[in-house]
Amino acid sequence: MNQLLKKHALKLILLVLLLIFAPVAEPLVTRLWTSGRTEHLQAQVTRQAQWQERVIQIEELAARLQRRFSQAIRERDQAALDEAVDLARVLDAECHALLQIEPSDALRELRIQAHQVAETQQELFLRLRDSETDATAAEIRDNHARLNQVLEAWDQAFHDYRRERIEAFHDELADIGAYSMRLESFVVAFMLRCIVGLLLLGYLLMLFSRRREGRLQRDNRRLEDDLESRNVALHQANEALKNEIEERNAAEWEVRKRLHMEETLGKASGMLTLPTAPKFESFLELLAEVMAVDRAFIVLFKHESMVIEKVFEWPTRPTAAGESGTAGLEGEDLMTYPWWYERVRTNEPLAIEDVAALPFSAEKERALFEANHIHAMLSLPVHTVDDETLGFMCFVDPEKPRSWQSASIRMLFLVSELLANYFARQKAEEQLRHDAFYDRLTDLPNRLLFKNRLEHAIQKCKRHHEYNFSVLFLDLDRFKSVNDTLGHLVGDQLLIELSDRLKDSVRPGDTVARLSGDEFVILLESIIEVEEVIRVVQRIENHIQKPFMLKGKEIHISASIGITQGNTEYKSAEAVIRDADIAMYRAKTLGKARYSVFDKHMHDKAVSAMEIEHNLRRALEQDEFELHFQPILSARTGEVSGAEALIRWNKPGYGTVSPSDFIPIAEETGLILPIGEWALRAACRHVRGWLDAGREPLTVSVNCSARQLQRQDLPGIAAALLEEAELDASLIKVELTESAVMGDVDHAISVLNRLHAMNIKISVDDFGTGYSSLAYLKRFPINTLKIDRSFINGILENDDDRAIISSIIAMAHSLNLSIVAEGVENEEQLALLRDLGCDEIQGYFYSKPLPADRFMAFVDARARSLREAGDEALEAGGEPAGSSN
Ligand SMILES: Nc1nc2c(ncn2[C@@H]2O[C@@H]3COP(=O)(O)O[C@H]4[C@@H](O)[C@H](n5cnc6c(=O)[nH]c(N)nc65)O[C@@H]4COP(=O)(O)O[C@H]3[C@H]2O)c(=O)[nH]1
C-alpha cells in the first residue's frame, strides 16, 4: 500500500488540487471579471456624480439665463442681457464640459442651437435697444419664443438624456449588484472548498507524512543497521587495507631490495664478463655495499687442492692490528679446519651469526676467526658446474653478531656461481691458450709456438751476426709398428717418454716441439758450427737408442733426423722446417736411423717432387697414363709367354715420362694407390681385349708397390677388377719388389696367401738386391723370381754375378719357382742364362716395352718368325729355331 501511495502520491495530490480548484476557477474568473466591472462602475458613479453636478449647474445656469434674458427683454436691461450673455457663455462652456464627460449628439445640437439663439437674442436685444421697432420687438419675441423652445427642447433633451443616463447607470448598478451577489456566493463556496480541500490535503498530507515518517523510520533503522554493518565492513576493510598496505610496503621494500640485489647482481655479472680482467676490489665493494658489511674477500685455492693460494679483498688497505682481515688465511690448507672444510667441500653456504656461538667441533675455526677479528661471517663456496671447488667468498662483520637473510644468501649463491663460471672460463681460456701453443699429449710446444720461436730466431740471426740457430727434424723409424703391435696407449707413452729424453738432450733455452704423430722439431739456439749440431744430434740418438720400458716390454726405436742451419736468407719459419724435413726424408731414404744435413740440392729435388705430385694428380684426372708391355719370352722355346705391364705418363707438352721419375714420388705421396689401381685395371682390360680378339692367352705381370701391399685391400681390388674384365685370375701376375715383401712380413704373407688362393700368380721383382734368403721366401706363396738387371749386366764379365745367378736358379727350381732374367740385352747374356737354366727372358734384346698395339704386332711377328724358323729347321732336319733364341 505504502508503495502504491508512494508511487501515486504526486498524482493524488494533483487530483485533490484539481477537485479543489476546479470549482474555484469559475468564481475566480468571475471575480476577476467583476473586479473590472466594479472599477468601471466606480468610474461610472464618479462620472455620474460629476455629470449630475454639472447637469444641476447647467440647469441652474439655463434657468438663470432664461431669467436674465427674460428680464433683459422685459426690462430692456443691458446689464441683465450682459449677464445673460455671460451666462450663455458659461452655459456653453458647461455644456461643452458636460459633453466631454458624456457625449450626446442631441445635446451638442441643442447647445449649438442655444448658442445661436442666445447670439440672436443678444443681437435683437441690441437692435431693440438702439431702435425699438415693432418688427424688432416681434422678432425679439419670436426669437425669445424660439429661445424658450430651444431651452425647453434643451431641457427636454437634457431631461431625457439625464434619465437615460440614470437608467443606464441603474442597470449597471443592478448588474453590479447581481455580480456582487454571485461574487459573494462564489467567495463563500470558494472559501468552503478551500477549507475542505485544505483539510483533505492536510489529512492526506498527514497520512502521507505518517506513512512517510514510518517509512522513514524503517528506512532509518535499516539505514542505521546498514550503516552499522557497513561500518563493521569498513572497519574490517580498513584493517585489511592497513594490513595490505603494510604487506605491500613490506613487499615493495622486498622488491626494492631484490631489485637492488638484482641490479648488483647485474653489475657484478657485467664486471665478470668484461673483456678486461675485473677489478675484484670494486666487485667486492659492490657486494659489500648490498650486504652492508665492512669487509669482503674472495679466496681461491691452489689447483685441485684446498690450500688458499690467492685472496682478493675489500677494502684493500693493509690490515691493521685489531682489524678483521685475511692475513691469517693465506697459505692455510682448509683441510686443517674440518668443520669449515666440510661445508665448503659440499658446496654449502656458511652463515655464522656469532663466531662466539660456534659449536665445540668448530673450535679451531673459532680461534682462526677470532684471531682475524671476525664476529659474524657469511661464506659461500665458489663451486663450478663440474663439481670443482675453486674457493669461496666471505662477507664479514668485524664488530658485532648479525643475522644473514636468506634472500641475501640466495643472491650471493648466484654471485658465487657467476664467479665460479668466471674462474672456470678463465681456466678454460688459459687451457685453450695453452692448448693453442702446446701439444696435449707431451705438453711440448706445438708447431705454432715452435714457429713463433723460430721466427724470432730468424730475425735475431738477421740482426746479430754472431748468432745462429739450427733446426732438427726428427721422425721415428718404426713408430707405426709400435702402435700397431702394442697399441696406441703404449705408442702415446713412448712419445711422452721420448719427449722427456729429447728435452734432456738439449739446453734449457732450446725448444723441443712436437709437430704431429712421431714428428718432432728442435730449435737449437746460439749454435754456429755444424759439428756442434751434430754432437747434439748424436746425444739425441744416444738417448733414443736406450730401450724404452713400456708395459713391461723393452722397446727399441730409432729416428731419422734432418738438420738445417739457420742463415740470413731464410724468410720464414716454414721454410726452415721444410728444409729440415727434406733432410730428414733424405736420412730416411738413406736407410733410416741416421741424420742428414740439408743442402740446396735436396731442396731442388723436393721442389720438383712437389711439382710432380701436383701434375700426377692432374694426370690421373685427365687420363694421361698409358700401359706399355715388355714381352717376356720362354728361354727354351723363344715364344712370348707373357709381358710386363709398365706404366707411361704422356705428359702434355713434355712427352713420355719414365716411371722411374714419378713412381717414387707417387709412392711418397700415396698417389701410387690410385695409380696402381689404374694400372691393374688397364692391364685386365688389355688382356680381355686380346682374348676377345681371339689371341692366345698371355700372362701379364703388373707392378705393385709396397704401399699398395700395406695400405690397400689388394686382393679385394684385384678380384673386383678381374670380375669387371671377366678375366681368369691366372692371366694376371702381381709383381712385388723384394723390399715390399720384406717390409711387413706377416701382413705380406696374409695378402699374398689371399692372392694365391684367388689363383693370381706372384712374382718377386729385383730379386738379389735385398737381403732375403730363398729359405725365407719359402714362407711366401711365390711363383716367380725376377733376377735383377744389375746381376744380368755383369753376368758375362763378373764370375760372382754368374755364380749368384746360377745358385739362385738352382735353388729357385728346387723350390718350384720359375726364374725370369730381367734386362737381357744381348745374345751372349741370353745364351748364358739359357745354359744356367733360366726359364724366361725379358730385356731389350728382344724388345723394349711397347704400346699395346705394337706389343701385339711383336707377338704376331715372333710367332710368325718362330713358325718360319721351325719350318726351315724341319726342312733342314734340325731342331726348331725357337729352341735356340
Ligand atoms: N737398361 C735396360 N732396361 C731394361 C731392359 N729391359 C727392361 N728394362 C727396364 O727395366 C724396367 C723393368 O721394370 P721394373 O724392374 O719392374 O721397374 C719398374 C717398376 O719398378 C716401375 N714401374 C713401372 N710401371 C709400374 C707400375 O705400373 N706400377 C709400379 N708400382 N711400378 C711400376 O718403374 C720401374 C722402371 O720401369 P721402366 O722405366 O719401364 O723400366 C723397365 C724396363 O724398361 C734392358 O734390357 N736394359
Side-chain angles (χ1 to χ4, degrees):
M1 183 65 183
N2 279 350
Q3 290 291 325
L4 206 70
L5 275 173
K6 217 197 265 180
K7 198 173 175 186
H8 301 289
L10 189 67
K11 287 178 192 169
L12 270 170
I13 291 166
L14 283 172
L15 188 70
V16 170
L17 287 175
L18 202 67
L19 277 170
I20 296 165
F21 287 107
V24 170
E26 190 193 346
L28 265 178
V29 173
T30 313
R31 192 183 174 281
L32 284 172
W33 181 77
T34 50
S35 84
R37 298 284 290 184
T38 310
E39 279 162 16
H40 174 71
L41 199 63
Q42 277 171 356
Q44 281 289 55
V45 168
T46 312
R47 206 172 60 201
Q48 196 72 27
Q50 287 172 355
W51 185 79
Q52 201 83 13
E53 210 176 300
R54 283 206 188 270
V55 166
I56 293 166
Q57 232 172 325
I58 286 169
E59 279 177 342
E60 276 176 15
L61 278 171
R64 276 176 64 193
L65 181 64
Q66 206 170 4
R67 274 191 313 272
R68 286 296 172 256
F69 268 127
S70 297
Q71 187 187 350
I73 297 281
R74 212 177 45 240
E75 295 173 9
R76 298 217 177 50
D77 183 356
Q78 189 62 41
L81 184 65
D82 292 337
E83 193 182 347
V85 170
D86 288 337
L87 281 172
R89 227 180 270 129
V90 173
L91 183 65
D92 189 46
E94 282 296 322
C95 277
H96 178 72
L98 186 70
L99 283 171
Q100 285 296 313
I101 295 166
E102 201 64 50
S104 167
D105 292 341
L107 272 178
R108 195 173 290 118
E109 189 56 37
L110 280 171
R111 176 186 156 228
I112 295 164
Q113 282 178 19
H115 185 74
Q116 283 170 351
V117 171
E119 276 186 350
T120 312
Q121 200 66 3
Q122 190 180 0
E123 205 178 302
L124 285 173
F125 182 77
L126 287 172
R127 257 191 299 161
L128 191 62
R129 199 184 58 183
D130 294 338
S131 59
E132 191 175 339
T133 65
D134 289 339
T136 309
E139 212 176 325
I140 289 168
R141 276 189 307 274
D142 289 345
N143 200 42
H144 189 68
R146 255 186 60 219
L147 182 66
N148 282 337
Q149 282 171 2
V150 171
L151 286 173
E152 273 169 25
W154 164 269
D155 196 38
Q156 189 57 46
F158 203 79
H159 181 70
D160 291 345
Y161 172 72
R162 215 173 122 194
R163 187 173 40 80
E164 251 175 55
R165 294 310 318 155
I166 288 167
E167 275 174 12
F169 182 65
H170 278 269
D171 284 349
E172 272 190 46
L173 273 180
D175 228 7
I176 287 167
Y179 281 125
S180 302
M181 284 288 287
R182 275 175 65 191
L183 183 64
E184 275 165 22
S185 63
F186 285 144
V187 168
V188 171
F190 171 70
M191 292 298 281
L192 279 171
R193 278 174 181 154
C194 274
I195 290 163
V196 170
L198 283 173
L199 283 173
L200 196 62
L201 190 64
Y203 178 67
L204 279 172
L205 283 175
M206 191 186 74
L207 270 180
F208 280 131
S209 71
R210 273 200 192 154
R211 288 225 168 96
R212 196 172 165 73
E213 204 176 321
R215 208 168 55 227
L216 278 174
Q217 274 174 357
R218 279 197 304 280
D219 287 352
N220 222 16
R221 271 199 301 278
R222 215 168 38 237
L223 272 175
E224 274 171 10
D225 293 347
D226 204 19
L227 205 66
E228 183 66 32
S229 59
R230 274 187 197 197
N231 261 350
V232 171
L234 208 65
H235 181 71
Q236 286 169 351
N238 225 14
E239 284 298 309
L241 200 68
K242 241 170 30 191
N243 290 341
E244 198 182 318
I245 287 169
E246 272 169 21
E247 274 170 23
R248 198 171 291 176
N249 281 344
E252 233 168 68
W253 188 81
E254 272 296 319
V255 166
R256 264 207 299 276
K257 204 173 144 192
R258 212 172 49 231
L259 278 178
H260 185 51
M261 281 184 177
E262 276 168 16
E263 200 184 331
T264 310
L265 200 64
K267 278 185 193 165
S269 109
M271 286 171 108
L272 294 177
T273 48
L274 282 175
T276 51
K279 283 193 177 136
F280 282 105
E281 294 75 35
S282 317
F283 179 82
L284 286 169
E285 186 180 3
L286 191 76
L287 295 174
E289 188 259 317
V290 76
M291 292 299 295
V293 294
D294 291 340
R295 296 195 67 79
F297 46 94
I298 299 167
V299 169
L300 292 180
F301 297 139
K302 269 188 192 149
H303 182 58
E304 288 184 353
S305 78
M306 288 243 186
V307 176
I308 296 172
E309 182 186 45
K310 200 168 186 181
V311 180
F312 299 101
E313 65 179 318
W314 177 85
T316 46
R317 66 181 185 279
T319 311
E323 241 179 10
S324 66
T326 56
L329 296 178
E330 294 256 14
E332 286 280 353
D333 188 345
L334 206 68
M335 286 177 85
T336 53
Y337 299 94
W339 183 80
W340 192 6
Y341 163 79
E342 195 52 28
R343 270 146 194 86
V344 175
R345 191 187 65 80
T346 51
N347 194 24
E348 272 179 52
L350 180 61
I352 303 171
E353 297 187 355
D354 187 359
V355 165
L358 279 176
F360 185 70
S361 53
E363 199 63 10
K364 278 182 97 175
E365 284 79 0
R366 189 170 60 204
L368 176 75
F369 297 152
E370 281 175 355
N372 283 285
H373 304 276
I374 295 171
H375 252 91
M377 183 181 94
L378 176 61
S379 146
L380 288 113
V382 176
H383 197 85
T384 67
V385 281
D386 301 327
D387 217 22
E388 192 186 349
T389 307
L390 304 177
F392 56 87
M393 274 193 305
C394 263
F395 297 88
V396 164
D397 198 318
E399 281 164 9
K400 56 188 183 314
R402 61 167 285 178
S403 62
W404 303 99
Q405 285 185 350
S406 56
S408 311
I409 297 175
R410 272 201 303 278
M411 183 206 70
L412 287 179
F413 238 128
L414 290 175
V415 174
S416 76
E417 270 175 28
L418 286 175
L419 263 184
N421 281 347
Y422 169 77
F423 287 124
R425 203 170 57 237
Q426 216 187 27
K427 222 173 133 186
E429 278 169 9
E430 260 169 37
Q431 186 64 48
L432 269 179
R433 269 196 295 278
H434 185 270
D435 288 353
F437 293 106
Y438 289 87
D439 174 52
R440 215 171 242 274
L441 180 71
T442 59
D443 209 32
L444 288 178
N446 62 11
R447 179 186 282 269
L448 202 65
L449 184 55
F450 184 80
K451 269 173 67 181
N452 195 288
R453 291 190 183 167
L454 187 52
E455 298 283 0
H456 279 104
I458 294 168
Q459 295 309 317
K460 201 170 166 186
C461 180
K462 284 180 182 166
R463 282 198 308 270
H464 307 285
H465 294 298
E466 70 285 3
Y467 171 86
N468 203 1
F469 65 90
S470 201
V471 168
L472 312 181
F473 197 112
L474 187 147
D475 187 284
L476 293 185
D477 290 332
R478 282 179 48 248
F479 182 66
K480 188 180 174 301
S481 64
V482 173
N483 254 348
D484 290 349
T485 51
L486 300 172
H488 285 271
L489 281 178
V490 174
D492 286 352
Q493 203 52 50
L494 175 70
L495 292 175
I496 293 168
E497 212 163 295
L498 174 72
S499 306
D500 293 339
R501 290 191 190 186
L502 291 177
K503 276 191 283 185
D504 292 345
S505 310
V506 297
R507 289 174 299 185
D510 298 334
T511 303
V512 178
R514 181 176 174 223
L515 289 191
S516 65
D518 58 347
E519 287 180 347
F520 293 83
V521 275
I522 301 166
L523 171 64
L524 304 175
E525 303 254 12
S526 306
I527 198 157
I528 296 173
E529 300 302 327
V530 72
E531 288 75 22
E532 276 182 82
V533 180
I534 288 168
R535 269 199 296 280
V536 177
V537 169
Q538 283 166 346
R539 202 161 54 231
I540 290 171
E541 283 177 333
N542 288 339
H543 271 89
I544 296 175
Q545 271 166 17
K546 286 177 197 151
F548 290 81
M549 283 304 293
L550 299 168
K551 260 197 165 178
K553 282 192 180 165
E554 206 174 82
I555 297 167
H556 293 267
I557 56 159
S558 63
S560 301
I561 302 171
I563 304 167
T564 189
Q565 277 197 293
N567 62 59
T568 49
E569 280 169 28
Y570 274 127
K571 287 192 173 59
S572 70
E574 278 297 347
V576 183
I577 296 170
R578 181 202 60 209
D579 288 351
D581 188 13
I582 290 169
M584 183 279 294
Y585 183 73
R586 174 93 183 125
K588 278 248 188 258
T589 49
L590 286 175
K592 300 176 183 170
R594 66 192 67 204
Y595 64 82
S596 165
V597 181
F598 175 77
D599 62 35
K600 183 82 174 69
H601 175 66
M602 285 183 198
H603 175 77
D604 296 343
K605 258 187 97 178
V607 169
S608 93
M610 270 165 61
E611 272 176 29
I612 290 172
E613 183 195 342
H614 171 74
N615 291 331
L616 278 178
R617 286 185 197 281
R618 207 201 50 217
L620 261 175
E621 286 162 15
Q622 310 283 325
D623 201 19
E624 293 171 7
F625 293 115
E626 184 190 358
L627 276 192
H628 281 198
F629 297 90
Q630 186 173 31
I632 298 173
L633 294 94
S634 161
R636 198 172 53 80
T637 62
E639 286 172 1
V640 179
S641 56
E644 181 180 356
L646 293 157
I647 197 164
R648 297 290 179 269
W649 175 15
N650 299 318
K651 191 177 170 193
Y654 179 86
T656 305
V657 184
S658 159
S660 316
D661 293 334
F662 67 84
I663 288 292
I665 296 162
E667 282 185 340
E668 271 171 41
T669 56
L671 277 171
I672 192 65
L673 300 179
I675 291 173
E677 197 175 323
W678 178 90
L680 193 56
R681 177 180 281 111
C684 291
R685 281 184 183 166
H686 277 294
V687 178
R688 163 52 45 209
W690 296 330
L691 289 175
D692 289 348
R695 307 218 170 241
E696 287 296 312
L698 289 171
T699 304
V700 173
S701 305
V702 183
N703 287 286
C704 279
S705 79
R707 267 209 172 190
Q708 280 176 274
L709 190 67
Q710 286 160 10
R711 302 250 173 113
Q712 249 179 348
D713 175 20
L714 199 54
I717 291 170
L721 296 176
L722 286 167
E723 198 184 327
E724 196 180 287
E726 294 175 352
L727 208 65
D728 192 319
S730 63
L731 295 178
I732 294 295
K733 192 181 263 185
V734 168
E735 229 175 74
L736 294 154
T737 60
E738 193 185 336
S739 54
V741 173
M742 302 308 286
D744 185 349
V745 175
D746 294 339
H747 181 69
I749 289 173
S750 127
V751 173
L752 295 186
N753 277 336
R754 282 174 65 201
L755 289 172
H756 181 72
M758 286 164 62
N759 213 17
I760 291 176
K761 293 195 181 76
I762 297 154
S763 103
V764 173
D765 203 3
D766 307 336
F767 189 76
T769 52
Y771 306 96
S772 53
S773 66
L774 269 175
Y776 197 73
L777 280 179
K778 259 175 73 178
R779 297 170 63 199
F780 299 95
I782 296 167
N783 304 92
T784 308
L785 290 182
K786 285 181 94 170
I787 301 171
D788 192 66
R789 198 173 68 220
S790 55
F791 294 105
I792 307 298
N793 269 344
I795 192 173
L796 295 175
E797 299 86 29
N798 195 320
D799 293 341
D800 289 346
D801 285 352
R802 205 167 40 245
I804 291 169
I805 291 170
S806 170
S807 60
I808 289 174
I809 292 172
M811 285 179 75
H813 283 165
S814 70
L815 290 171
N816 238 354
L817 300 175
S818 70
I819 290 286
V820 178
E822 221 177 3
V824 179
E825 291 184 350
N826 53 50
E827 208 166 357
E828 292 77 33
Q829 289 170 341
L830 172 67
L832 188 57
L833 287 165
R834 203 185 267 157
D835 289 346
L836 291 173
C838 185
D839 301 297
E840 286 169 305
I841 304 294
Q842 180 185 349
Y844 288 176
F845 174 68
Y846 282 120
S847 168
K848 285 192 169 183
L850 301 167
D853 52 344
R854 283 179 56 203
F855 169 67
M856 274 297 114
F858 176 85
V859 173
D860 292 344
R862 185 70 196 162
R864 213 171 27 249
S865 75
L866 279 178
R867 256 196 323 274
E868 285 166 7
D871 291 347
E872 278 170 23
L874 278 174
E875 275 168 24
E879 278 187 34
S883 61
S884 61
N885 57 2

